[in-house]
PDB file of all heavy atoms in Angstrom:
ATOM      1  N   ARG A 985     -29.473  35.698  37.843  1.00  0.00           N
ATOM      2  CA  ARG A 985     -30.052  36.788  37.047  1.00  0.00           C
ATOM      3  C   ARG A 985     -31.532  36.955  37.255  1.00  0.00           C
ATOM      4  O   ARG A 985     -32.082  37.960  36.992  1.00  0.00           O
ATOM      5  CB  ARG A 985     -29.701  36.576  35.583  1.00  0.00           C
ATOM      6  CG  ARG A 985     -28.328  36.998  35.221  1.00  0.00           C
ATOM      7  CD  ARG A 985     -28.170  38.340  34.483  1.00  0.00           C
ATOM      8  NE  ARG A 985     -28.694  38.332  33.260  1.00  0.00           N
ATOM      9  CZ  ARG A 985     -27.972  38.145  32.032  1.00  0.00           C
ATOM     10  NH1 ARG A 985     -26.693  38.006  32.238  1.00  0.00           N
ATOM     11  NH2 ARG A 985     -28.465  38.200  30.964  1.00  0.00           N
ATOM     12  N   GLY A 986     -32.198  35.813  37.704  1.00  0.00           N
ATOM     13  CA  GLY A 986     -33.636  35.837  37.755  1.00  0.00           C
ATOM     14  C   GLY A 986     -34.189  35.996  39.140  1.00  0.00           C
ATOM     15  O   GLY A 986     -33.443  36.302  40.135  1.00  0.00           O
ATOM     16  N   GLY A 987     -35.514  35.772  39.246  1.00  0.00           N
ATOM     17  CA  GLY A 987     -36.163  35.812  40.592  1.00  0.00           C
ATOM     18  C   GLY A 987     -36.674  37.148  40.937  1.00  0.00           C
ATOM     19  O   GLY A 987     -36.441  38.177  40.368  1.00  0.00           O
ATOM     20  N   SER A 988     -37.655  37.076  41.911  1.00  0.00           N
ATOM     21  CA  SER A 988     -38.270  38.284  42.376  1.00  0.00           C
ATOM     22  C   SER A 988     -37.279  39.247  42.983  1.00  0.00           C
ATOM     23  O   SER A 988     -36.477  38.849  43.874  1.00  0.00           O
ATOM     24  CB  SER A 988     -39.300  37.833  43.449  1.00  0.00           C
ATOM     25  OG  SER A 988     -40.009  38.921  43.971  1.00  0.00           O
ATOM     26  N   PRO A 989     -37.293  40.565  42.614  1.00  0.00           N
ATOM     27  CA  PRO A 989     -36.397  41.473  43.249  1.00  0.00           C
ATOM     28  C   PRO A 989     -36.599  41.760  44.719  1.00  0.00           C
ATOM     29  O   PRO A 989     -37.670  41.669  45.166  1.00  0.00           O
ATOM     30  CB  PRO A 989     -36.632  42.799  42.451  1.00  0.00           C
ATOM     31  CG  PRO A 989     -37.960  42.625  41.764  1.00  0.00           C
ATOM     32  CD  PRO A 989     -38.176  41.187  41.603  1.00  0.00           C
ATOM     33  N   THR A 990     -35.491  41.901  45.431  1.00  0.00           N
ATOM     34  CA  THR A 990     -35.617  42.225  46.858  1.00  0.00           C
ATOM     35  C   THR A 990     -36.150  43.619  47.099  1.00  0.00           C
ATOM     36  O   THR A 990     -36.227  44.469  46.150  1.00  0.00           O
ATOM     37  CB  THR A 990     -34.164  42.190  47.472  1.00  0.00           C
ATOM     38  OG1 THR A 990     -33.345  43.169  46.839  1.00  0.00           O
ATOM     39  CG2 THR A 990     -33.522  40.848  47.440  1.00  0.00           C
ATOM     40  N   LEU A 991     -36.508  43.843  48.264  1.00  0.00           N
ATOM     41  CA  LEU A 991     -37.052  45.210  48.629  1.00  0.00           C
ATOM     42  C   LEU A 991     -36.068  46.310  48.223  1.00  0.00           C
ATOM     43  O   LEU A 991     -36.454  47.269  47.638  1.00  0.00           O
ATOM     44  CB  LEU A 991     -37.301  45.313  50.105  1.00  0.00           C
ATOM     45  CG  LEU A 991     -37.731  46.694  50.661  1.00  0.00           C
ATOM     46  CD1 LEU A 991     -38.849  46.574  51.697  1.00  0.00           C
ATOM     47  CD2 LEU A 991     -36.546  47.494  51.223  1.00  0.00           C
ATOM     48  N   ARG A 992     -34.802  46.098  48.494  1.00  0.00           N
ATOM     49  CA  ARG A 992     -33.822  47.190  48.199  1.00  0.00           C
ATOM     50  C   ARG A 992     -33.795  47.457  46.682  1.00  0.00           C
ATOM     51  O   ARG A 992     -33.797  48.597  46.258  1.00  0.00           O
ATOM     52  CB  ARG A 992     -32.420  46.714  48.622  1.00  0.00           C
ATOM     53  CG  ARG A 992     -31.354  47.752  48.365  1.00  0.00           C
ATOM     54  CD  ARG A 992     -30.169  47.497  49.311  1.00  0.00           C
ATOM     55  NE  ARG A 992     -29.003  48.290  48.974  1.00  0.00           N
ATOM     56  CZ  ARG A 992     -28.769  49.543  49.291  1.00  0.00           C
ATOM     57  NH1 ARG A 992     -29.655  50.264  49.912  1.00  0.00           N
ATOM     58  NH2 ARG A 992     -27.634  50.145  48.966  1.00  0.00           N
ATOM     59  N   ASP A 993     -33.818  46.367  45.883  1.00  0.00           N
ATOM     60  CA  ASP A 993     -33.813  46.549  44.379  1.00  0.00           C
ATOM     61  C   ASP A 993     -35.090  47.267  43.936  1.00  0.00           C
ATOM     62  O   ASP A 993     -35.047  48.146  43.092  1.00  0.00           O
ATOM     63  CB  ASP A 993     -33.584  45.233  43.675  1.00  0.00           C
ATOM     64  CG  ASP A 993     -32.143  44.936  43.569  1.00  0.00           C
ATOM     65  OD1 ASP A 993     -31.299  45.856  43.488  1.00  0.00           O
ATOM     66  OD2 ASP A 993     -31.756  43.749  43.606  1.00  0.00           O
ATOM     67  N   ARG A 994     -36.228  46.992  44.483  1.00  0.00           N
ATOM     68  CA  ARG A 994     -37.491  47.608  44.054  1.00  0.00           C
ATOM     69  C   ARG A 994     -37.516  49.132  44.513  1.00  0.00           C
ATOM     70  O   ARG A 994     -37.869  49.940  43.720  1.00  0.00           O
ATOM     71  CB  ARG A 994     -38.713  46.937  44.752  1.00  0.00           C
ATOM     72  CG  ARG A 994     -38.848  45.524  44.328  1.00  0.00           C
ATOM     73  CD  ARG A 994     -40.090  44.957  44.973  1.00  0.00           C
ATOM     74  NE  ARG A 994     -39.975  43.411  45.051  1.00  0.00           N
ATOM     75  CZ  ARG A 994     -41.030  42.676  45.352  1.00  0.00           C
ATOM     76  NH1 ARG A 994     -42.194  43.221  45.721  1.00  0.00           N
ATOM     77  NH2 ARG A 994     -40.905  41.407  45.381  1.00  0.00           N
ATOM     78  N   VAL A 995     -36.957  49.391  45.693  1.00  0.00           N
ATOM     79  CA  VAL A 995     -37.008  50.712  46.124  1.00  0.00           C
ATOM     80  C   VAL A 995     -36.002  51.624  45.381  1.00  0.00           C
ATOM     81  O   VAL A 995     -36.350  52.675  44.952  1.00  0.00           O
ATOM     82  CB  VAL A 995     -36.790  50.820  47.658  1.00  0.00           C
ATOM     83  CG1 VAL A 995     -36.737  52.271  48.201  1.00  0.00           C
ATOM     84  CG2 VAL A 995     -37.929  50.093  48.440  1.00  0.00           C
ATOM     85  N   VAL A 996     -34.686  51.116  45.246  1.00  0.00           N
ATOM     86  CA  VAL A 996     -33.723  51.900  44.546  1.00  0.00           C
ATOM     87  C   VAL A 996     -34.138  52.092  43.073  1.00  0.00           C
ATOM     88  O   VAL A 996     -34.009  53.214  42.529  1.00  0.00           O
ATOM     89  CB  VAL A 996     -32.304  51.196  44.680  1.00  0.00           C
ATOM     90  CG1 VAL A 996     -31.297  51.921  43.762  1.00  0.00           C
ATOM     91  CG2 VAL A 996     -31.863  51.167  46.076  1.00  0.00           C
ATOM     92  N   ALA A 997     -34.695  51.094  42.460  1.00  0.00           N
ATOM     93  CA  ALA A 997     -35.175  51.212  41.081  1.00  0.00           C
ATOM     94  C   ALA A 997     -36.293  52.211  41.001  1.00  0.00           C
ATOM     95  O   ALA A 997     -36.295  53.039  40.006  1.00  0.00           O
ATOM     96  CB  ALA A 997     -35.727  49.825  40.547  1.00  0.00           C
ATOM     97  N   SER A 998     -37.172  52.296  41.963  1.00  0.00           N
ATOM     98  CA  SER A 998     -38.257  53.325  41.962  1.00  0.00           C
ATOM     99  C   SER A 998     -37.608  54.733  42.076  1.00  0.00           C
ATOM    100  O   SER A 998     -38.089  55.663  41.366  1.00  0.00           O
ATOM    101  CB  SER A 998     -39.211  52.998  43.111  1.00  0.00           C
ATOM    102  OG  SER A 998     -39.774  51.730  42.944  1.00  0.00           O
ATOM    103  N   GLN A 999     -36.689  54.841  43.006  1.00  0.00           N
ATOM    104  CA  GLN A 999     -36.032  56.124  43.236  1.00  0.00           C
ATOM    105  C   GLN A 999     -35.306  56.605  41.955  1.00  0.00           C
ATOM    106  O   GLN A 999     -35.319  57.761  41.545  1.00  0.00           O
ATOM    107  CB  GLN A 999     -35.013  56.070  44.371  1.00  0.00           C
ATOM    108  CG  GLN A 999     -35.674  55.912  45.734  1.00  0.00           C
ATOM    109  CD  GLN A 999     -34.489  55.803  46.747  1.00  0.00           C
ATOM    110  OE1 GLN A 999     -33.861  54.757  46.811  1.00  0.00           O
ATOM    111  NE2 GLN A 999     -34.340  56.762  47.615  1.00  0.00           N
ATOM    112  N   MET A1000     -34.548  55.664  41.332  1.00  0.00           N
ATOM    113  CA  MET A1000     -33.764  56.026  40.142  1.00  0.00           C
ATOM    114  C   MET A1000     -34.618  56.342  38.959  1.00  0.00           C
ATOM    115  O   MET A1000     -34.351  57.254  38.239  1.00  0.00           O
ATOM    116  CB  MET A1000     -32.744  54.937  39.828  1.00  0.00           C
ATOM    117  CG  MET A1000     -31.582  54.846  40.844  1.00  0.00           C
ATOM    118  SD  MET A1000     -30.446  53.473  40.408  1.00  0.00           S
ATOM    119  CE  MET A1000     -29.016  53.961  41.391  1.00  0.00           C
ATOM    120  N   GLY A1001     -35.706  55.575  38.763  1.00  0.00           N
ATOM    121  CA  GLY A1001     -36.651  55.844  37.670  1.00  0.00           C
ATOM    122  C   GLY A1001     -37.249  57.195  37.879  1.00  0.00           C
ATOM    123  O   GLY A1001     -37.390  57.968  36.870  1.00  0.00           O
ATOM    124  N   TYR A1002     -37.607  57.547  39.040  1.00  0.00           N
ATOM    125  CA  TYR A1002     -38.218  58.862  39.372  1.00  0.00           C
ATOM    126  C   TYR A1002     -37.254  59.971  38.991  1.00  0.00           C
ATOM    127  O   TYR A1002     -37.616  60.949  38.359  1.00  0.00           O
ATOM    128  CB  TYR A1002     -38.606  58.914  40.816  1.00  0.00           C
ATOM    129  CG  TYR A1002     -39.640  60.071  41.205  1.00  0.00           C
ATOM    130  CD1 TYR A1002     -40.949  59.815  41.204  1.00  0.00           C
ATOM    131  CD2 TYR A1002     -39.036  61.273  41.571  1.00  0.00           C
ATOM    132  CE1 TYR A1002     -41.763  60.941  41.494  1.00  0.00           C
ATOM    133  CE2 TYR A1002     -39.869  62.328  41.895  1.00  0.00           C
ATOM    134  CZ  TYR A1002     -41.244  62.132  41.892  1.00  0.00           C
ATOM    135  OH  TYR A1002     -42.098  63.161  42.231  1.00  0.00           O
ATOM    136  N   HIS A1003     -36.002  59.795  39.505  1.00  0.00           N
ATOM    137  CA  HIS A1003     -34.985  60.828  39.291  1.00  0.00           C
ATOM    138  C   HIS A1003     -34.760  61.078  37.786  1.00  0.00           C
ATOM    139  O   HIS A1003     -34.570  62.151  37.346  1.00  0.00           O
ATOM    140  CB  HIS A1003     -33.692  60.344  40.046  1.00  0.00           C
ATOM    141  CG  HIS A1003     -32.635  61.482  40.120  1.00  0.00           C
ATOM    142  ND1 HIS A1003     -32.422  62.197  41.228  1.00  0.00           N
ATOM    143  CD2 HIS A1003     -31.737  61.883  39.211  1.00  0.00           C
ATOM    144  CE1 HIS A1003     -31.461  63.063  41.057  1.00  0.00           C
ATOM    145  NE2 HIS A1003     -31.001  62.907  39.784  1.00  0.00           N
ATOM    146  N   ALA A1004     -34.732  59.951  37.019  1.00  0.00           N
ATOM    147  CA  ALA A1004     -34.470  60.016  35.643  1.00  0.00           C
ATOM    148  C   ALA A1004     -35.474  60.910  34.902  1.00  0.00           C
ATOM    149  O   ALA A1004     -35.205  61.729  34.093  1.00  0.00           O
ATOM    150  CB  ALA A1004     -34.449  58.621  34.972  1.00  0.00           C
ATOM    151  N   VAL A1005     -36.761  60.750  35.299  1.00  0.00           N
ATOM    152  CA  VAL A1005     -37.851  61.562  34.622  1.00  0.00           C
ATOM    153  C   VAL A1005     -37.778  62.964  35.168  1.00  0.00           C
ATOM    154  O   VAL A1005     -38.019  63.902  34.327  1.00  0.00           O
ATOM    155  CB  VAL A1005     -39.240  60.930  34.921  1.00  0.00           C
ATOM    156  CG1 VAL A1005     -40.319  61.718  34.254  1.00  0.00           C
ATOM    157  CG2 VAL A1005     -39.250  59.506  34.414  1.00  0.00           C
ATOM    158  N   GLU A1006     -37.379  63.179  36.420  1.00  0.00           N
ATOM    159  CA  GLU A1006     -37.180  64.608  36.871  1.00  0.00           C
ATOM    160  C   GLU A1006     -36.146  65.345  35.992  1.00  0.00           C
ATOM    161  O   GLU A1006     -36.305  66.479  35.684  1.00  0.00           O
ATOM    162  CB  GLU A1006     -36.679  64.628  38.348  1.00  0.00           C
ATOM    163  CG  GLU A1006     -37.801  64.363  39.436  1.00  0.00           C
ATOM    164  CD  GLU A1006     -37.158  64.408  40.799  1.00  0.00           C
ATOM    165  OE1 GLU A1006     -36.092  63.877  41.039  1.00  0.00           O
ATOM    166  OE2 GLU A1006     -37.933  64.963  41.669  1.00  0.00           O
ATOM    167  N   LEU A1007     -35.057  64.646  35.697  1.00  0.00           N
ATOM    168  CA  LEU A1007     -34.039  65.201  34.886  1.00  0.00           C
ATOM    169  C   LEU A1007     -34.543  65.612  33.482  1.00  0.00           C
ATOM    170  O   LEU A1007     -34.341  66.684  33.045  1.00  0.00           O
ATOM    171  CB  LEU A1007     -32.816  64.301  34.653  1.00  0.00           C
ATOM    172  CG  LEU A1007     -32.041  64.003  35.898  1.00  0.00           C
ATOM    173  CD1 LEU A1007     -30.978  62.805  35.686  1.00  0.00           C
ATOM    174  CD2 LEU A1007     -31.267  65.247  36.351  1.00  0.00           C
ATOM    175  N   LEU A1008     -35.344  64.735  32.812  1.00  0.00           N
ATOM    176  CA  LEU A1008     -35.953  65.051  31.496  1.00  0.00           C
ATOM    177  C   LEU A1008     -36.864  66.179  31.672  1.00  0.00           C
ATOM    178  O   LEU A1008     -36.926  67.072  30.787  1.00  0.00           O
ATOM    179  CB  LEU A1008     -36.559  63.810  30.887  1.00  0.00           C
ATOM    180  CG  LEU A1008     -35.595  62.712  30.387  1.00  0.00           C
ATOM    181  CD1 LEU A1008     -36.412  61.501  29.950  1.00  0.00           C
ATOM    182  CD2 LEU A1008     -34.695  63.269  29.250  1.00  0.00           C
TER     183      LEU A1008
END
Side-chain angles (χ1 to χ4, degrees):
R985 283 258 287 265
S988 178
T990 59
L991 175 138
R992 182 158 167 81
D993 276 327
R994 296 182 202 190
V995 174
V996 173
S998 300
Q999 290 176 291
M1000 287 181 165
Y1002 193 94
H1003 192 99
V1005 181
E1006 283 182 320
L1007 290 171
L1008 288 174

